[in-house]
Amino acid sequence: MKVLKFGGSSVANAENIQKVAAIVMANTEQQVVVVSALGGVTDALIKAGTLAEQTNETYKEVLKELEKKHLDTARALLPVTHQSSCLSMIKQQFNELEEICNSVFYLKELSLRTKDRIISFGEWLSSKIITAFLQSRHVDVEWLDSRKLIKTNSHFGFAAVNFETTNQLITTTIEAVDKNIFLAPGFISSDNNNNTTTLGRGGSDYTAAIYASALNADSLEIWTDVSGMMTADPRWVPNAKPIERISYQEAMELSHFGAKVVYPPTIQPVRQKNIPTWVKNTFAPNDAGTVIDSTVKHDGDIVTGISSINAIALLSLEGSGMIGIPGFSKRLFEALANANINVVLITQSSSEHSICVAVNTSDAVNAKEVVDKTFEIEIAQAKVEPLKVETEHSVIALVGDKMKSHPGISGRMFDALGRNGINVRAIAQGSSERNISAVITHADIKKAVNVLHEAFFENVYKQLNIFIIGVGNVGGKLLGQILQQQTFLQEHLNLQVRVTGIANSKKMLFADNGYDINLKQWKEALKEQGEPMQLTKFAETIIQKNLRNSVLVDVTANEEVAKVYEQLLSKAVSVVACNKIAASAPYSHYIELKSLAKEYNALFLFETNVGAGLPVIGTLNDLRRSGDVVTRIQAVLSGTLNFVFNNYDATRPFAEVVKQAQDEGYTEPDPRLDLGGTDVMRKILILAREAGEQLEMEDITNNGFLPEECFEGNVDDFYKSLLKYEDHFKNLYNKAAAENCKLKFVAEFTNTPSGNKDANVGLKHIPADSDFYHLYGKDNIVLFYTQRYPEQPLVVKGAGAGADVTASGVFADIIRVARV
């Protein structure tokens, strides 16, 4: 004997019911088949009753639609010769249902008892229609009225089963009928006065378990639209995995904490009789599914699954008058119990100053009323504060029998949540150590489930979600490099880099949930599908998507973009900046960004601010972390200026060489930022700050070489001025050449033993014995003099400009975010 239950989308319509029939007919064992109402019927019946109570006559339209749905289903399933009696039965039932709703309409009252009677029609009708369909296929099936077999108390809406009476009625009835297949409606039952009761929403699973327990069935099969229980909700976690085997205790924990596959009370009756329970897929009947039994797995994942409950309110009872006084907890829980309020989670501070419980949000208002009433004397005496209610929360839970034998699971859980900026409001762990639960903000629940699934189940790779603003020359190269390296990163670093959003100055584009932007066609997609660029909306969308391991990549020189770093870092979104403005802003802002990154477990990285793809800041940070002290920094930090002075020999106009540098992508959009020294000032400022010094831009001396007129007007005016002052540039070159020197724009920071700080930038004559002399093309060089390198400096040298190398530096920072 086995018991099969079909519900949800399995019996949603005629097509699906045919699949159910095929499964039933393929089974050769004696079986009891339990079915739910047709798809959406229970909700519609509740709506009809509620509308009638509100004296809204549209309840009649709801009933007509339901009648049509059932009639259409019967006609689609039954041959014409078998339709008459079934259609007549449906019409008769809806006449009775309409009379009940009419009474509700005139009385303006929908009692729980009447509500149970109304919603019982759904399962009753579907079971009758499916029975008729099987009989039309020459299946010898006996219909059972669950209302006559499952006896309960009179707690309408969620009745408690009298198992002794129920078991006797079921076994006696089944044994008296010589049939191989029995079909029964789920969800419905009756009290001792034969009033219809129900077993709670989802109660059809429970009905099947009741039959299985009474009959000592060999197995119970719950047929759904998924191939078993999953490690997480597959609608939220694309990489959720099926669970092959799970214990009764684990299944109860997961179903209690929101796993919708199995109705929570279902487990208890089959657990008591040790009946294996299978969760199977009606639409993929050959899939293995999940078996729930008494077996505790001894290999595989430590955590079995992740589940959650939404719409949770956090109730906090606090007060100094609670300390050392027994009975507060009893009175709190007694008040909630008397109001029929279910407590989902409990936690209490060790100081006895507060008790915190989680309840369903729908119970929050009632909870506050009854608790404040219970403690009204203590509240009036200021011994206890009025109950504090916080809504918009969810509970997330890790479940697994093996967790109790493995230390550090809680640490991994909360570390993963913390690194993604998910704040935990309350924590609870059962004494069995089978469940670790946390209350978090509802807005973070989907992100939290993905974060924990990645931490405990996705050993294959870590996912990084990046949003790139500035997809011009450097940004375009970056996207190309990501495309090129995606497979390599996944295979060798277990890292999946997803480009989730891109933007330029005109358009922005975001990927749909679960999908990346197509990096082979991003230009076309941005142009054709992108919406107008709004920086505020771009930042808000990153926050609203709330994806795990999110990173803003700023490949602009835009001051407004730098202003959103603070907002994003405070939401645990890491920032990788090619843009120098933030790190060279007033020192207080620079430190604030660093502090936010630390506080919210994000990273603020800007390696390319100084030497494009060169590891300048990384090397400096390594020196300091290892305890070294920087005493002096000398550097040629502008690939642009180095290119210009390496190519200018007074035989062609200085303006022409600068234009060449711009055309080849070595300058900022406004070359004056490079040639005027501002860019180099920012770079030495950033290096000094990273060396631990508190410097501002105005502390840096700029010994510029451009005439003042060059800074007037626009970029076109700038080039005209360069031509006008060609003799000035020739003179600079000739003076250096006369001394057998080269021109280099050098940045220097000195930290003297006496504590004096000096930072300056300017054009210098470089003799042949200098480290700077043999610096060609667009190369940069940085010399770090430290306590460990006092005479011979630590040298970092290489290409300091160019789209490819700058993009590679940004890419390296992105990977650093993932490795933390």
Side-chain angles (χ1 to χ4, degrees):
M1 165 71 73
K2 68 165 62 173
V3 177
L4 291 74
K5 179 266 173 177
F6 295 91
S9 57
S10 297
V11 291
N13 51 48
E15 181 183 355
N16 293 357
I17 290 172
Q18 290 174 343
K19 291 178 170 54
V20 169
I23 294 169
V24 172
M25 293 165 64
N27 180 38
T28 57
E29 297 179 53
Q30 189 180 31
Q31 59 189 305
V32 175
V33 179
V34 177
V35 297
S36 298
L38 301 183
V41 167
T42 303
D43 286 336
L45 288 168
I46 293 172
K47 180 180 179 181
T50 303
L51 289 171
E53 182 185 31
Q54 297 168 350
T55 65
N56 186 332
E57 293 192 1
T58 56
Y59 74 88
K60 296 179 181 179
E61 297 175 10
V62 176
L63 293 179
K64 286 180 181 178
E65 286 295 319
L66 282 173
E67 182 178 359
K68 183 178 183 299
K69 181 184 183 76
H70 286 83
L71 290 171
D72 289 347
T73 301
R75 291 189 182 104
L77 287 170
L78 301 172
V80 175
T81 54
H82 289 73
Q83 288 183 8
S84 179
S85 61
C86 186
L87 298 179
S88 177
M89 176 272 298
I90 293 170
K91 287 182 176 292
Q92 181 184 347
Q93 291 299 311
F94 272 95
N95 288 338
E96 182 180 347
L97 178 57
E98 186 172 7
E99 288 179 8
I100 296 172
C101 288
N102 288 342
S103 299
V104 172
F105 180 85
Y106 289 116
L107 291 172
K108 301 179 184 178
E109 179 185 351
L110 179 63
S111 67
L112 290 175
R113 173 179 164 180
T114 304
K115 185 177 180 180
D116 270 4
R117 181 72 184 95
I118 290 172
I119 60 180
S120 71
F121 280 84
E123 273 71 15
W124 199 94
L125 283 163
S126 69
S127 64
K128 280 289 190 178
I129 293 171
I130 296 171
T131 299
F133 174 56
L134 287 170
Q135 290 171 342
S136 75
R137 301 285 295 272
H138 309 293
V139 176
D140 191 12
V141 55
E142 180 78 7
W143 181 79
L144 302 174
D145 189 345
S146 295
R147 295 175 299 181
K148 295 180 179 179
L149 302 182
I150 300 177
K151 306 302 289 186
T152 69
N153 63 10
S154 299
H155 192 298
F156 299 100
F158 189 38
V161 177
N162 181 333
F163 280 97
E164 184 177 352
T165 302
T166 296
N167 290 347
Q168 184 177 356
L169 287 169
I170 290 173
T171 53
T172 301
T173 301
I174 297 292
E175 289 172 357
V177 180
D178 186 20
K179 294 285 180 72
N180 204 45
I181 300 176
F182 299 85
L183 197 141
F187 181 53
I188 60 176
S189 48
S190 68
D191 65 9
N192 290 331
N193 297 318
N194 294 322
N195 295 309
T196 298
T197 57
T198 60
L199 302 176
R201 294 299 299 268
S204 292
D205 287 359
Y206 190 29
T207 302
I210 293 167
Y211 277 105
S213 176
L215 297 167
N216 292 308
D218 297 320
S219 65
L220 167 64
E221 295 178 1
I222 307 292
W223 289 83
T224 68
D225 57 358
V226 293
S227 297
M229 300 183 76
M230 308 289 282
T231 50
D233 189 334
R235 294 169 300 178
W236 285 359
V237 183
N239 299 314
K241 302 187 295 184
I243 301 171
E244 180 181 346
R245 183 177 295 273
I246 188 173
S247 70
Y248 293 119
Q249 294 89 340
E250 290 173 319
M252 289 174 69
E253 293 279 6
L254 281 175
S255 59
H256 173 71
F257 280 93
K260 305 298 184 185
V261 177
V262 179
Y263 181 55
T266 303
I267 306 300
Q268 195 60 36
V270 292
R271 178 189 177 192
Q272 289 178 343
K273 297 290 186 72
N274 200 25
I275 298 170
T277 299
W278 291 86
V279 180
K280 303 274 285 181
N281 189 344
T282 306
F283 308 99
N286 294 324
D287 287 359
T290 298
V291 62
I292 306 169
D293 59 17
S294 57
T295 305
V296 177
K297 61 183 181 180
H298 296 287
D299 54 6
D301 296 313
I302 297 170
V303 175
T304 299
I306 302 166
S307 196
S308 62
I309 308 176
N310 296 323
I312 289 294
L314 207 55
L315 312 180
S316 300
L317 185 67
E318 301 179 356
S320 57
M322 296 168 58
I323 300 174
I325 307 298
F328 273 92
S329 298
K330 174 182 178 295
R331 291 169 63 193
L332 170 64
F333 296 122
E334 196 172 65
L336 295 173
N338 290 338
N340 293 318
I341 297 172
N342 182 46
V343 174
V344 176
L345 176 146
I346 306 167
T347 183
Q348 181 171 3
S349 70
S350 59
S351 66
E352 303 180 8
H353 179 265
S354 67
I355 306 171
C356 183
V357 300
V359 302
N360 292 320
T361 300
S362 57
D363 292 325
V365 173
N366 190 22
K368 179 165 177 60
E369 183 178 331
V370 299
V371 172
D372 284 351
K373 179 68 175 175
T374 300
F375 294 97
E376 62 181 340
I377 295 175
E378 288 85 354
I379 292 172
Q381 294 174 346
K383 292 181 178 180
V384 173
E385 297 175 14
L387 187 72
K388 182 180 178 182
V389 179
E390 300 173 72
T391 57
E392 300 295 324
H393 285 81
S394 294
V395 175
I396 188 166
L398 287 185
V399 173
D401 281 323
K402 291 175 64 178
M403 292 184 347
K404 60 186 175 184
S405 59
H406 286 78
I409 301 300
S410 298
R412 284 176 62 189
M413 175 181 180
F414 298 123
D415 178 64
L417 295 175
R419 281 188 285 105
N420 280 273
I422 300 168
N423 186 40
V424 174
R425 296 285 292 105
I427 302 167
Q429 181 170 8
S431 58
S432 68
E433 300 182 61
R434 188 178 291 114
N435 178 309
I436 307 171
S437 306
V439 179
I440 62 175
T441 301
H442 175 67
D444 287 332
I445 187 63
K446 182 178 178 181
K447 179 181 181 182
V449 172
N450 276 276
V451 163
L452 294 182
H453 198 272
E454 181 179 83
F456 288 97
F457 293 103
E458 298 174 26
N459 298 322
V460 177
Y461 61 81
K462 179 177 183 178
Q463 187 180 91
L464 209 63
N465 292 283
I466 65 174
F467 300 81
I468 304 175
I469 184 166
V471 287
N473 193 16
V474 175
K477 295 289 186 182
L478 173 62
L479 288 169
Q481 290 174 10
I482 293 172
L483 174 62
Q484 175 187 318
Q485 290 299 106
Q486 278 180 324
T487 302
F488 175 89
L489 293 174
Q490 193 155 331
E491 290 179 355
H492 297 275
L493 296 182
N494 298 326
L495 175 63
Q496 183 190 57
V497 178
R498 292 185 64 235
V499 178
T500 314
I502 58 175
N504 57 24
S505 60
K506 297 179 180 179
K507 293 280 190 77
M508 60 183 181
L509 176 68
F510 294 96
D512 294 330
N513 290 336
Y515 296 93
D516 303 358
I517 289 172
N518 187 337
L519 297 188
K520 293 181 180 178
Q521 298 176 328
W522 66 267
K523 289 183 180 179
E524 295 83 354
L526 182 61
K527 182 179 179 180
E528 297 170 8
Q529 303 167 28
E531 58 183 296
M533 173 57 179
Q534 297 178 39
L535 181 58
T536 301
K537 186 176 181 181
F538 189 86
E540 289 175 350
T541 302
I542 296 174
I543 294 169
Q544 289 166 5
K545 281 184 172 289
N546 206 16
L547 299 173
R548 67 190 189 275
N549 307 319
S550 291
V551 186
L552 171 72
V553 181
D554 178 8
V555 196
T556 75
N558 189 294
E559 185 174 358
E560 294 303 312
V561 175
K563 290 179 180 179
V564 305
Y565 295 178
E566 187 173 351
Q567 177 188 6
L568 294 172
L569 288 169
S570 64
K571 294 296 182 180
V573 176
S574 293
V575 174
V576 169
C578 184
N579 190 344
K580 305 176 188 68
I581 291 175
S584 60
Y587 184 80
S588 58
H589 184 64
Y590 160 83
I591 287 297
E592 173 67 11
L593 294 178
K594 290 263 189 173
S595 299
L596 285 171
K598 182 177 181 180
E599 180 179 356
Y600 292 99
N601 295 295
L603 290 180
F604 175 38
L605 301 176
F606 42 88
E607 179 66 78
T608 52
N609 277 197
V610 174
L614 295 178
V616 177
I617 294 176
T619 301
L620 175 55
N621 288 335
D622 288 343
L623 288 171
R624 294 196 66 217
R625 291 189 193 108
S626 66
D628 206 351
V629 177
V630 175
T631 58
R632 186 182 180 194
I633 301 172
Q634 285 185 311
V636 172
L637 294 172
S638 173
T640 304
L641 285 168
N642 200 43
F643 177 90
V644 168
F645 285 111
N646 278 333
N647 285 276
Y648 180 66
D649 58 5
T651 62
R652 59 178 177 141
F654 186 76
E656 184 178 315
V657 177
V658 174
K659 189 65 170 64
Q660 179 187 348
Q662 185 179 27
D663 291 342
E664 294 186 21
Y666 300 144
T667 74
E668 297 287 350
D670 185 344
R672 287 173 291 189
L673 292 175
D674 297 293
L675 273 69
T678 302
D679 188 60
V680 178
M681 289 173 69
R682 286 176 176 162
K683 291 178 178 180
I684 195 64
L685 173 66
I686 292 168
L687 286 181
R689 286 176 172 179
E690 290 295 290
E693 303 302 330
Q694 185 172 334
L695 254 65
E696 303 286 0
M697 276 288 280
E698 51 267 28
D699 296 326
I700 301 170
T701 303
N702 182 2
N703 301 308
F705 66 90
L706 287 180
E708 286 298 321
E709 186 178 329
C710 292
F711 295 98
E712 298 174 1
N714 56 28
V715 174
D716 288 338
D717 296 326
F718 164 67
Y719 278 110
K720 292 176 183 176
S721 296
L722 292 184
L723 289 171
K724 179 180 177 181
Y725 287 96
E726 176 60 24
D727 288 343
H728 167 72
F729 301 118
K730 283 184 177 180
N731 187 46
L732 292 174
Y733 174 81
N734 290 332
K735 283 186 177 180
E739 298 174 9
N740 293 319
C741 291
K742 291 183 178 180
L743 288 172
K744 301 290 180 184
F745 198 84
V746 178
E748 187 169 4
F749 168 74
T750 304
N751 183 3
T752 65
S754 61
N756 293 326
K757 312 290 191 299
D758 180 65
N760 62 82
V761 301
L763 200 61
K764 294 188 177 181
H765 293 186
I766 303 300
D769 60 352
S770 169
D771 290 302
F772 295 161
Y773 189 85
H774 298 287
L775 195 64
Y776 303 106
K778 56 183 182 298
D779 285 359
N780 280 188
I781 186 170
V782 181
L783 280 58
F784 290 116
Y785 292 88
T786 71
Q787 289 181 349
R788 294 174 188 159
Y789 296 90
E791 301 296 333
Q792 292 294 327
L794 176 61
V795 178
V796 180
K797 179 181 178 182
D804 278 319
V805 293
T806 304
S808 69
V810 174
F811 199 178
D813 269 351
I814 292 172
I815 294 171
R816 286 186 188 97
V817 173
R819 302 301 293 272
V820 173

